[in-house]
Amino acid sequence: MALILSVLEQGLIYGVMALGVYITYKILDFPDLTVDGSFPMGAAIAAVMITEGMHPLLTLFVSFAAGGAAGMLTGIIHVKLKVRDLLSGIIMMTALYTVNLRIAQKANVPLYNKETVFENELIRGLFGPLESAAPLIVIAVITVIVKYLLDWYLSTQSGYLLRAVGDNDTFVTSMGVEKGRVKIIGLAIANGLAALGGCLFAQQQRFFDISMGTGTVVIGLASVIIGTSLLKKASFLRVTASVVFGSVLYKACVALALRYMKVIHLQSKDLKLVTSVLFLMILVIAQERKKKVKKNA
């Protein structure tokens, strides 16, 4: 039961981040590695604000804003300075490593015995004896709110322009809209969501670590690919819901792999290897599914 709760909690948290990766990967077709820096940035901000005695709910908004600023800078580097998309993300990701260290002042910040969005007086009063289920319920509520807000935004004029830039940027330019500005907005929202995910993750795990963002973009991509591939025919679900589902399923696969790693003589330090192999398998399966679809068409 504890394993299932952990998978659901982390799956939903990474689902928030995966929604940001969905914007860059699926909508903008932008290989943005900034996520590996903006995710721990949200965690660092949460850790510092909470240790300073600030309300944990405030960390959500500050983290989103800081992540948005990081994504905006990536967009400016790409659009204004004419740096290639992949290099723009790498430059910003590298810079954010130092920025995150500056924010936290050290490589690891524990949050033990501190109030978080999952454990505070309000939560204890609301849930009482069911307090153990509170983190999952709170995470689910936040994830659903973020999902519906993103759905709403994508249905606005700005959201349609965002989609159009990814599909046909020439068409957007012909409408008299600056496509670079639309890209910057998209990257800001994407990295804001990544930082929000990092903020939630730090509070759920009760610590910040400078290396916690390593491989985040891989998890996000895997979640997007799993969700959009498996639930492609589920017309009753929006793509955003599929992405969140893909994140939960991916974390379940990782959890099962970790549980049975001892069978093949692997240890917890081999987690990154397991994650890479799992992601490779997902990519291969997704490609095979595309080939079958093309043959049947």
Side-chain angles (χ1 to χ4, degrees), residues 84-95:
R84 292 182 61 181
D85 47 15
L86 182 62
L87 290 176
S88 300
I90 292 173
I91 290 168
M92 202 61 213
M93 175 190 68
T94 306

Side-chain angles (χ1 to χ4, degrees), residues 2-253:
L3 178 63
I4 295 173
L5 284 175
S6 178
V7 167
L8 289 174
E9 287 174 11
Q10 292 193 26
L12 290 173
I13 288 172
Y14 277 107
V16 174
M17 177 274 300
L19 288 173
V21 175
Y22 165 72
I23 293 174
T24 55
Y25 175 68
K26 278 289 186 179
I27 296 181
L28 288 177
D29 193 22
F30 191 106
D32 185 25
L33 294 181
T34 312
V35 172
D36 275 15
S38 54
F39 184 85
M41 172 187 270
I45 290 171
V48 170
M49 290 183 67
I50 289 173
T51 53
E52 291 294 325
M54 297 184 188
H55 197 285
L57 191 61
L58 183 61
T59 65
L60 304 181
F61 300 99
V62 176
S63 295
F64 180 83
M72 191 179 297
L73 287 173
T74 301
I76 291 171
I77 292 171
H78 171 62
V79 174
K80 302 299 182 181
L81 302 182
K82 309 299 181 183
V83 178
R84 292 182 61 181
D85 47 15
L86 182 62
L87 290 176
S88 300
I90 292 173
I91 290 168
M92 202 61 213
M93 175 190 68
T94 306
L96 285 176
Y97 185 90
T98 300
V99 171
N100 294 339
L101 274 177
R102 287 281 187 176
I103 293 171
Q105 296 298 315
K106 49 186 176 180
N108 189 284
V109 180
L111 292 175
Y112 305 118
N113 301 320
K114 299 289 184 180
E115 287 197 343
T116 66
V117 289
F118 311 119
E119 187 176 340
N120 52 62
E121 290 184 8
L122 177 61
I123 296 298
R124 285 190 287 270
L126 285 174
F127 292 92
L130 298 175
E131 191 178 344
S132 59
L136 178 58
I137 296 172
V138 174
I139 291 169
V141 169
I142 293 174
T143 304
V144 169
I145 291 173
V146 170
K147 174 219 174 305
Y148 278 105
L149 284 175
L150 182 58
D151 287 339
W152 168 80
Y153 171 74
L154 292 176
S155 65
T156 63
Q157 182 180 1
S158 179
Y160 280 121
L161 286 173
L162 189 67
R163 295 182 188 186
V165 165
D167 292 334
N168 189 345
D169 56 2
T170 305
F171 173 73
V172 174
T173 304
S174 67
M175 293 174 61
V177 178
E178 187 183 352
K179 63 180 181 180
R181 179 175 58 84
V182 178
K183 280 187 177 182
I184 292 172
I185 293 172
L187 287 167
I189 295 172
N191 283 281
L193 292 175
L196 177 59
C199 174
L200 291 170
F201 186 73
Q203 295 185 59
Q204 190 255 353
Q205 293 290 304
R206 288 194 164 277
F207 75 92
F208 157 77
D209 188 85
I210 191 64
S211 64
M212 71 190 335
T214 306
T216 301
V217 70
V218 172
I219 297 173
L221 287 172
S223 302
V224 171
I225 293 170
I226 291 173
T228 55
S229 297
L230 290 182
L231 300 176
K232 191 174 184 179
K233 294 182 180 179
S235 56
F236 60 92
L237 284 178
R238 286 183 176 268
V239 181
T240 48
S242 300
V243 170
V244 174
F245 175 80
S247 176
V248 174
L249 186 58
Y250 177 78
K251 293 305 293 185
C253 292

